[in-house]
């Protein structure tokens, strides 16, 4: 019964990919849906591709261990989501259209600064490929955990199965398939995260009595400022690190491209309302899943060896197998909705921004599209190989570094890398006319390199300041670098500043 539910779900995703394969007949269609996506699809696909398996595995796992104090990440994400839609959405939709009808983020940055040598395009593409590799690995690791929990499938088989399905429909249908599957997956995720905590509360006598029982079990579980396991107050560094997740939104290529794809720029504000409703409800429900889940497993004496599996454990314990399968398919939906976007953006970074614009400028659109499809498969294969480094051995003992074992760690690093590398330059490119090409290149390099250095070298030092989330120093240093270098270099050409002013005074209704 469980297998039937999953097979039907996977076949539905493949069917959507096959349906849209005929529409993905140009670069603009394959990468951006011909800028023809409606407000509901844009909003739901943006949030589904944002949250990934992290929402149903990484975040509830962290809250299960440490209590409500880990909810600061969710608070930061809600704030970041709002300001990204409010500040960046409309302006990027207008600017990317006016600025050479840009269809990718590197495309926009190159056109915005008139980078005829392609330097910023190359740097942006390299960072996109590097950070999305880690992000895609996190999705495949989550797939392996999901299939292992449900079907007792071995780690490697789970990785390969998840990769094959995601690659298949992304390969066929491009952006159309990615967005429409994401829309369905976002709906599934919303339904699943609401049902599970409601079932626990109904079985425990209602909301009030359940929360009283949670408080009685451990009063620190509901505290925003105290770690429920250690009983220690969370420090300023930890608080800043959690809230800083919101900064990452300004630099997420797979989310920003949704703004660029909406059919009518006037609909951005409507999409924002849809997106904010979805993210607030989902994150709030996930927090409740983790808190109530900790109470539920202790009362029912259920062993939890991996906190990131708490949602799956609750589904299996609370529901009939068929219902549990449908709810757990939401985890697969969360994983796939992000992995497909990552693969597509990575493929576009290589094929459109490197292959077509740097190495083979005379390549036909058909050739570039086939290169994209091949790169989707290649990146997935590399991600599977990297993810296999965290596979358990025959005796169940983990091999490789713990960094590859935990979904939260992989997502955290990739999120921080994108936020630090692209967040400052996206904001300044959109809103500061004085930004120069030299400043943009310098800032991106500083942000991206800082993320790697901080994560793999400085975070191991004993000083407390080095425990801060790498997104924070990366974002700050990148922003400062762009401003300083731009101020010290020659002002942008009149053509660039005139275009900036034209976008400033362009009415949304003029952009279709």
């Amino acid at each position: 019964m469980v297998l039937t539910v999953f097979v039907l779900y996977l076949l539905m995703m493949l069917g959507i990919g096959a349906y849209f394969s005929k529409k993905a007949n140009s670069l603009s269609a394959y990468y951006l849906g011909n800028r023809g996506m409606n407000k509901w699809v844009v909003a739901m696909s943006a949030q589904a591709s944002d949250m990934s398996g992290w929402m149903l595995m990484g975040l509830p796992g962290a809250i299960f261990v440490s209590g409500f104090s880990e909810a600061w990440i969710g608070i930061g994400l809600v704030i970041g989501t709002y300001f990204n839609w409010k500040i960046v959405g409309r302006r990027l939709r207008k600017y990317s259209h006016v600025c050479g009808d840009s269809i990718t983020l590197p495309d926009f940055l190159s056109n915005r600064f008139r980078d005829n040598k392609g330097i910023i395009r190359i740097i942006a593409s390299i960072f996109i490929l590097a950070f999305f590799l880690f992000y895609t690995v996190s999705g495949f690791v989550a797939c392996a955990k999901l299939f292992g929990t449900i079907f007792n499938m071995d780690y490697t088989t789970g990785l390969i199965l998840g990769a094959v399905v995601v690659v298949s429909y992304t390969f066929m249908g491009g952006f159309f398939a990615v967005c429409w599957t994401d829309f369905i997956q976002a709906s599934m995720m919303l339904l699943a995260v609401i049902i599970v905590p409601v079932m626990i509360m109904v079985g425990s006598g209602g909301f009030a009595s359940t929360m009283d029982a949670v408080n009685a079990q451990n009063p620190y579980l509901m505290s925003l400022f105290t770690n429920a396991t250690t009983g220690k107050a969370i420090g300023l560094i930890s608080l800043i690190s959690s809230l800083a997740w919101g900064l990452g939104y300004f630099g997420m290529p797979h989310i920003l491209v949704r703004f660029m794809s909406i059919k009518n720029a006037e609909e951005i504000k409507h999409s924002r309302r849809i997106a904010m409703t979805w993210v607030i409800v989902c994150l709030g429900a996930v927090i409740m899943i983790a808190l109530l889940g900790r109470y539920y497993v202790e009362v029912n004496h259920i062993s939890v060896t991996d906190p990131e599996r708490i949602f799956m454990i609750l589904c299996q314990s609370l529901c009939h197998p068929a219902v549990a399968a449908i709810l757990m398919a939401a985890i697969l939906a969360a994983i796939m909705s992000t992995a497909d976007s990552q693969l597509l953006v990575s493929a576009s970074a290589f094929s459109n921004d490197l292959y077509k614009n740097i190495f083979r400028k005379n390549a036909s659109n058909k050739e570039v599209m086939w290169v994209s499809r091949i790169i989707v498969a290649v990146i997935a294969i590399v991600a599977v190989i990297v993810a296999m480094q965290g596979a358990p051995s025959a005796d169940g003992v983990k091999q490789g570094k713990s960094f590859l074992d935990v979904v939260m760690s992989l997502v955290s690093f990739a999120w921080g890398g994108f936020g630090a590398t692209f967040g400052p330059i996206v904001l300044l490119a959109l809103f500061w006319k004085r930004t120069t090409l030299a400043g943009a290149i310098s800032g991106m390099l500083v942000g991206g390199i800082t993320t790697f250095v901080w994560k793999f070298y400085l975070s191991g030092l004993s000083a407390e300041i080095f425990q801060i989330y790498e997104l924070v120093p990366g974002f700050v240093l990148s922003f400062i670098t762009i401003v300083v270098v731009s101020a010290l270099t020659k002002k942008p050409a009149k053509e660039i500043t005139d275009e900036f002013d034209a976008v400033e005074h362009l009415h949304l209704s003029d952009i279709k």
Side-chain angles (χ1 to χ4, degrees):
M1 197 176 293
V2 176
L3 181 62
T4 300
V5 169
F6 270 77
V7 169
L8 289 174
Y9 170 73
L10 295 175
L11 288 175
M12 180 173 64
M13 297 300 103
L14 292 174
I16 292 172
Y19 174 78
F20 284 109
S21 62
K22 294 180 181 179
K23 293 189 176 184
N25 53 10
S26 69
L27 289 181
S28 178
Y30 192 75
Y31 295 142
L32 210 58
N34 282 328
R35 295 188 191 271
M37 310 309 294
N38 71 61
K39 59 187 177 184
W40 279 92
V41 173
V42 168
M44 298 285 273
S45 68
Q47 298 315 124
S49 66
D50 158 20
M51 290 302 171
S52 75
W54 170 87
M55 188 181 83
L56 292 175
M57 296 182 73
L59 181 59
I63 295 174
F64 181 88
V65 172
S66 302
F68 201 49
S69 61
E70 288 289 341
W72 286 107
I73 295 177
I75 294 171
L77 290 174
V78 169
I79 296 171
T81 299
Y82 176 79
F83 282 107
N84 198 32
W85 280 95
K86 181 70 174 178
I87 297 173
V88 175
R90 291 191 301 171
R91 180 133 179 112
L92 181 59
R93 174 62 178 88
K94 294 192 294 181
Y95 215 149
S96 63
H97 181 86
V98 172
C99 193
D101 196 18
S102 307
I103 61 175
T104 67
L105 184 57
D107 209 19
F108 168 68
L109 293 174
S110 182
N111 293 337
R112 162 69 173 83
F113 296 107
R114 304 299 193 272
D115 179 21
N116 298 323
K117 295 181 179 179
I119 298 173
I120 198 168
R121 192 186 294 273
I122 293 172
I123 294 172
S125 299
I126 289 173
F127 277 123
I128 285 174
L129 290 168
F131 288 122
F132 266 142
L133 175 62
F134 285 98
Y135 222 144
T136 305
V137 168
S138 75
F140 292 164
V141 169
C143 270
K145 289 187 176 186
L146 175 65
F147 292 136
T149 299
I150 298 173
F151 302 116
N152 290 322
M153 189 178 291
D154 69 88
Y155 185 90
T156 301
T157 304
L159 284 176
I160 295 173
L161 178 60
V164 167
V165 175
V166 175
V167 168
S168 296
Y169 72 78
T170 306
F171 185 95
M172 290 186 289
F175 194 79
F176 281 116
V178 165
C179 284
W180 277 101
T181 53
D182 285 358
F183 175 78
I184 295 170
Q185 290 160 343
S187 302
M188 291 178 62
M189 292 158 66
L190 179 63
L191 181 66
V193 299
I194 292 175
I195 288 175
V196 171
V198 168
M199 290 186 69
I200 295 176
M201 287 186 285
V202 169
S204 302
F207 177 78
S209 60
T210 305
M211 298 313 294
D212 287 343
V214 171
N215 253 330
Q217 183 185 65
N218 184 339
Y220 293 136
L221 277 175
M222 298 298 296
S223 172
L224 265 173
F225 299 98
T226 307
N227 186 295
T229 298
T230 64
K232 296 181 179 179
I234 62 170
L236 181 62
I237 294 295
S238 179
L239 181 60
I240 293 173
S241 295
S242 296
L243 288 173
W245 277 68
L247 287 175
Y249 278 106
F250 301 122
M252 295 296 140
H254 57 303
I255 298 175
L256 298 175
V257 75
R258 262 62 179 189
F259 300 153
M260 297 162 64
S261 74
I262 197 165
K263 183 176 182 179
N264 190 323
E266 287 282 3
E267 295 185 346
I268 285 285
K269 61 181 179 182
H270 302 296
S271 289
R272 182 182 74 240
R273 292 166 185 165
I274 297 167
M276 287 305 302
T277 301
W278 188 93
V279 76
I280 290 172
V281 172
C282 283
L283 287 176
V286 166
I287 290 170
M288 292 302 294
I289 287 171
L291 293 174
L292 299 182
R294 179 158 168 166
Y295 156 75
Y296 182 86
V297 297
E298 288 191 21
V299 168
N300 291 280
H301 308 291
I302 299 172
S303 174
V304 179
T305 56
D306 183 355
E308 290 190 342
R309 299 176 191 257
I310 182 59
F311 179 75
M312 291 179 264
I313 292 171
L314 292 174
C315 290
Q316 291 176 321
S317 301
L318 290 164
C319 308
H320 183 276
V323 177
I326 295 172
L327 296 180
M328 287 188 289
I331 302 176
L332 188 59
I335 296 166
M336 293 168 64
S337 64
T338 301
D340 55 16
S341 298
Q342 295 158 355
L343 288 171
L344 188 62
V345 173
S346 299
S348 69
F350 181 88
S351 58
N352 184 72
D353 298 306
L354 292 180
Y355 184 81
K356 180 178 175 61
N357 284 280
I358 304 298
F359 303 123
R360 187 170 164 78
K361 296 183 178 181
N362 296 325
S364 67
N365 285 350
K366 185 176 181 180
E367 178 182 341
V368 174
M369 286 175 63
W370 274 106
V371 169
S372 290
R373 289 183 165 109
I374 292 170
I375 291 301
V376 164
V378 170
I379 293 172
I381 291 170
V382 174
V384 168
I385 293 172
V386 174
M388 286 175 65
Q389 305 309 306
S393 60
D395 59 2
V397 178
K398 287 287 183 181
Q399 298 173 338
K401 296 182 178 180
S402 60
F403 178 66
L404 294 177
D405 297 339
V406 184
V407 174
M408 189 75 169
S409 296
L410 290 163
V411 172
S412 173
F413 175 67
W415 186 269
F418 278 123
T421 305
F422 296 108
I425 188 53
V426 166
L427 291 173
L428 290 169
L430 292 175
F431 297 104
W432 190 38
K433 183 164 57 176
R434 184 64 176 79
T435 309
T436 65
L437 176 61
I441 292 172
S442 301
M444 287 171 59
L445 287 171
V446 168
I449 293 172
T450 298
T451 302
F452 275 97
V453 172
W454 200 277
K455 175 68 177 180
F456 295 108
Y457 296 98
L458 299 181
S459 63
L461 300 179
S462 58
E464 186 179 7
I465 188 61
F466 293 118
Q467 308 311 308
I468 199 168
Y469 185 19
E470 57 268 18
L471 169 57
V472 178
F475 191 98
V476 171
L477 292 176
S478 175
F479 196 98
I480 292 173
T481 300
I482 296 170
V483 172
V484 171
V485 174
S486 294
L488 294 176
T489 50
K490 185 180 178 180
K491 291 182 179 180
K494 188 175 185 299
E495 175 189 5
I496 297 176
T497 56
D498 285 349
E499 181 179 77
F500 184 96
D501 292 334
V503 174
E504 184 72 28
H505 299 99
L506 191 67
H507 293 292
L508 290 175
S509 57
D510 297 330
I511 298 292
K512 298 294 184 183

